[in-house]
Amino acid sequence: MAIVLTFRGILTLTGALHIGSGGGNAHTDATIVRDSRGNPYIPGSSMRGVFRTAVERIAVPVLELEVVRESMVLDRYFEEQHIDLQRSDEALTTFLSGHLNTMERLFGTTYWASPLSFPDMPLAPEIAALTEIRHGVGIDRDTGAASDQIKYDFEVLSRGQRFAFMMRCELDNYYEHQWKQLLAIGLRLLQQGELSLGGLAARGIGQVQLSNLEVFELNM
């Protein structure tokens, strides 16, 4: 019997945040990502990557779990097992479920859809988006000094902005206990403000903190 856990809360920027759109405009070289209405948001994919990395860093040594293997490593492993990955029948699903580790079954791989989802996080409706332009210089990798004539600027969301956080997980009965442990690790790190999102983290940008956490359980 499936159990779906939903986690909701408020994600507050405790520092400026830059998640780039991949382009610029007349005002800056690098704009932040916005939705179709022009409102800033935090892509769920950005949170997912940071969440997984942080959980993996702590859980692997503490809980003695295996890491999520790269696609090339999995390809080589399945090739050695003489498994045709182009098949989509029940036998392949059964094989994968028996040969993927706890972390891979939770966070997913190229061949296995993750039961954990992070929807995009919209700006809280009562908040007006506040942005600013910051400046930087390119760094010469050989000397470690600022490069000549390489100056740029980028847009950031100002500190204090709040976003609607949500995470959902459909628990597997066999892995329920371990998955709850892994989710708890990531959520606690977010509550303690120990995770950073977006780019330019080396410049002290991207700190966030989770508050007002609520947990909902739906027993199917």
Side-chain angles (χ1 to χ4, degrees):
M1 185 174 293
I3 295 176
V4 179
L5 295 179
T6 300
F7 305 85
R8 294 181 181 273
I10 299 299
L11 194 71
T12 303
L13 306 188
T14 55
L17 175 67
H18 175 80
I19 298 180
S21 66
N25 57 26
H27 305 290
T28 179
D29 297 318
T31 57
I32 58 174
V33 65
R34 287 179 166 82
D35 63 21
S36 59
R37 296 183 178 181
N39 298 316
Y41 71 98
I42 297 178
S45 56
S46 295
M47 173 59 74
R48 181 186 189 84
V50 169
F51 193 91
R52 173 197 145 179
T53 300
V55 170
E56 195 172 52
R57 172 173 50 86
I58 293 177
V60 168
V62 174
L63 301 180
E64 298 182 348
L65 299 178
E66 298 178 64
V67 299
V68 176
R69 290 167 287 185
E70 298 293 334
S71 295
M72 291 180 61
V73 176
L74 282 172
D75 288 343
R76 192 178 310 115
Y77 173 74
F78 293 140
E79 183 178 346
E80 292 171 353
Q81 300 295 320
H82 305 292
I83 297 298
D84 179 9
L85 295 173
Q86 301 305 314
R87 297 167 56 191
S88 58
D89 57 15
E90 186 177 344
L92 178 58
T93 301
T94 301
F95 172 83
L96 290 174
S97 65
H99 287 76
L100 297 176
N101 62 47
T102 302
M103 296 284 288
E104 290 166 343
R105 285 180 62 94
L106 177 60
F107 290 104
T109 72
T110 306
Y111 310 106
W112 186 269
S114 171
L116 181 63
S117 62
F118 292 86
D120 293 340
M121 289 171 275
L123 192 67
E126 73 277 10
I127 299 296
L130 298 176
T131 65
E132 53 191 275
I133 304 298
R134 296 197 177 183
H135 302 275
V137 295
I139 301 297
D140 188 306
R141 294 184 179 181
D142 295 325
T143 65
S147 299
D148 293 334
Q149 300 180 339
I150 302 181
K151 181 179 179 296
Y152 64 93
D153 54 50
F154 53 94
E155 183 181 25
V156 299
L157 277 164
S158 302
R159 177 179 179 176
Q161 305 284 280
R162 298 197 300 273
F163 293 82
F165 171 86
M166 187 170 80
M167 178 177 75
R168 180 175 288 123
C169 184
E170 183 175 337
L171 295 177
D172 182 299
N173 291 336
Y174 183 80
Y175 293 97
E176 179 179 349
H177 179 66
Q178 284 186 315
W179 283 5
K180 284 182 176 179
Q181 288 181 309
L182 297 176
L183 297 177
I185 289 172
L187 290 168
R188 179 53 59 88
L189 291 173
L190 277 173
Q191 289 178 315
Q192 294 176 171
E194 296 187 28
L195 302 188
S196 296
L197 294 175
L200 306 170
R203 298 191 54 163
I205 290 175
Q207 297 95 336
V208 297
Q209 187 166 23
L210 179 64
S211 61
N212 294 53
L213 179 64
E214 296 180 298
V215 184
F216 304 88
E217 178 179 310
L218 175 62
N219 193 322
M220 303 297 288

